[in-house]
Amino acid sequence: MSAAWPFTKATGLKEGDVIGACVSGGLDSKTICHKMKESGLKVIGFSADLGQPDEVDINDVKKKMAPTGVETVIVDLKNEMAEGCFETILAQAKYDGGYWQSTGVGRHVTVKGLLKAMKEKGVTVLAHGATGRGNDQMRFERYTNVIDPDMRVYAPWRDAHLLEDFPGRTEMITYLGKFGITHELPKTKKRYSTDSNLAGLSNEAEDLESLETAMNIVDPIMGVWPKDAPNDAEEVTLRYEAGRCVAINGKAVTPLEAMLESNKIGGRNGVGLVHALESRIIGTKSRGVYEAPGMTLLGHGLELVYQATLDRRSYALFKSLSQHVSDQMYDGRYFDPSC
């Protein structure tokens, strides 16, 4: 192990720091948290409940992290996430390939919500598990800098010492094993990875990176492929007030209730599955299959309202502003003045 880690100028960490680690309960989270704790830092884990459809029980994160000796705080942000969904629908914010900004909106809701919880616990440094290859490193850091400029940010997977110690899963499992911490790898290798919240779910990486791999290798979690949907059409009535869905099929709904119900309706009817080749913030391309049944259902309903009420020039202006808001959200700049 690198003796110099973690108290180096490069990490920005110092004795007395309290680290708020954004954790999922996975191998990376357990390794990073235990390593920092072993090095003498006080570490507290934080995980956001965003209504993830692929999580059976969000409290399982606490159970998975328990062997590391790190306290884990679950922050309920489902209502905030639903509000973020409504803001995204209002702006009709979609990105490359026409997919809804599910991950983009989820990141600013997560950072804002976790920072509040971290401050209450005396955290001085936010640590995230994003790699140096994707968008989330930028989003976590930009939102932290804007919301709480005094909070420092540590990115473990951009730390040369940590990368030297843990170049792969084998080294992480061996390290944890020395402390009696076990981690079971899946018996079969997944063909792609997932990330989800109330707004939607992204399937990407691994086999999906090859353009020769068909998108239908994905087994949808939030619904079904159109070919597997019922043959009979389902009629849905949506009521909007000030651009917000306030009733579904005549029943009044809160934003959270609207998202949960529309996800069910859209999902079972094969709505909202999109293939996308997106341009990442850092300049690379990423291929994904996105699921957003509720966003698609509620979003299309509102789009029809816009078409019925805006004249040609107003609608053209709206679409240009919509694209700007979408780009800002994707880039981790949702709280910038222009947005």
Side-chain angles (χ1 to χ4, degrees):
M1 293 295 174
S2 303
W5 191 90
F7 302 118
T8 66
K9 187 175 181 182
T11 66
L13 302 177
K14 58 191 180 191
E15 293 191 53
D17 274 333
V18 179
I19 312 298
C22 302
V23 300
S24 66
L27 181 59
D28 288 16
S29 295
K30 288 194 276 193
T31 302
I32 293 167
C33 286
H34 192 277
K35 178 62 175 161
M36 289 192 290
K37 184 171 176 285
E38 183 199 7
S39 301
L41 291 163
K42 181 178 179 181
V43 184
I44 306 171
F46 293 84
S47 190
D49 182 357
L50 303 172
Q52 294 93 321
D54 59 349
E55 283 279 3
V56 178
D57 183 356
I58 191 69
N59 287 303
D60 285 345
V61 175
K62 295 175 77 169
K63 295 174 187 174
K64 292 174 183 175
M65 293 301 298
T68 67
V70 171
E71 173 196 2
T72 301
V73 179
I74 306 295
V75 184
D76 187 350
L77 297 174
K78 291 192 291 294
N79 285 311
E80 290 83 351
M81 186 66 219
E83 188 60 38
C85 291
F86 269 39
E87 291 176 7
T88 306
I89 291 169
L90 193 68
Q92 296 283 293
K94 302 174 191 176
Y95 197 61
D96 284 354
Y99 76 89
W100 287 95
Q101 287 275 14
S102 54
T103 307
V105 65
R107 293 303 180 250
H108 78 70
V109 171
T110 297
V111 176
K112 187 176 181 180
L114 293 190
L115 279 174
K116 182 181 177 184
M118 287 179 181
K119 293 297 279 188
E120 291 171 356
K121 288 280 190 177
V123 168
T124 57
V125 179
L126 179 149
H128 63 78
T131 70
R133 301 185 300 275
N135 296 318
D136 284 342
Q137 56 175 331
M138 310 296 291
R139 291 166 175 161
F140 273 102
E141 290 162 30
R142 283 174 177 170
Y143 285 136
T144 301
N145 291 337
V146 169
I147 297 168
D148 188 349
D150 294 328
M151 180 72 73
R152 284 173 285 135
V153 179
Y154 172 54
W157 297 121
R158 292 207 310 263
D159 183 333
H161 291 290
L162 198 75
L163 290 170
E164 180 186 337
D165 289 344
F166 305 114
R169 289 185 171 189
T170 301
E171 290 79 8
M172 288 189 262
I173 290 171
T174 301
Y175 166 74
L176 292 174
K178 293 177 182 177
F179 302 93
I181 303 170
T182 59
H183 183 86
E184 248 183 75
L185 289 174
K187 290 183 178 148
T188 56
K189 187 175 182 247
K190 280 194 71 175
R191 299 186 68 184
Y192 51 87
S193 62
T194 61
D195 185 89
S196 73
N197 57 48
L198 184 66
L201 186 146
S202 64
N203 304 280
E204 56 189 13
E206 304 296 342
D207 288 5
L208 284 173
E209 285 296 317
S210 170
L211 295 179
E212 296 179 358
T213 303
M215 66 183 285
N216 60 11
I217 68 163
V218 169
D219 185 13
I221 291 175
M222 297 183 75
V224 298
W225 288 104
K227 68 180 179 62
D228 299 319
N231 289 328
D232 295 332
E234 180 176 352
E235 187 173 306
V236 184
T237 303
L238 306 172
R239 178 178 175 80
Y240 293 88
E241 292 180 6
R244 300 165 66 88
C245 180
V246 296
I248 297 178
N249 292 332
K251 181 183 176 182
V253 288
T254 65
L256 179 56
E257 290 168 342
M259 286 306 304
L260 292 171
E261 183 62 18
S262 61
N263 275 335
K264 289 178 187 175
I265 296 171
R268 64 178 175 245
N269 286 287
V271 170
L273 277 157
V274 175
H275 172 274
L277 270 167
E278 66 186 83
S279 301
R280 284 180 169 171
I281 302 170
I282 59 172
T284 60
K285 284 280 188 180
S286 173
R287 183 186 183 216
V289 177
Y290 289 84
E291 306 174 40
M295 296 289 283
T296 303
L297 179 60
L298 299 183
H300 184 62
L302 184 58
E303 183 181 17
L304 296 177
V305 174
Y306 286 151
Q307 290 175 0
T309 56
L310 296 175
D311 65 27
R312 180 166 59 92
R313 287 181 175 80
S314 297
Y315 195 45
L317 175 61
F318 170 80
K319 286 194 286 186
S320 69
L321 292 173
S322 171
Q323 187 59 58
H324 176 70
V325 171
S326 179
D327 289 345
Q328 292 289 94
M329 191 178 291
Y330 186 87
D331 291 351
R333 298 184 182 277
Y334 190 60
F335 298 128
D336 284 15
S338 70
C339 205

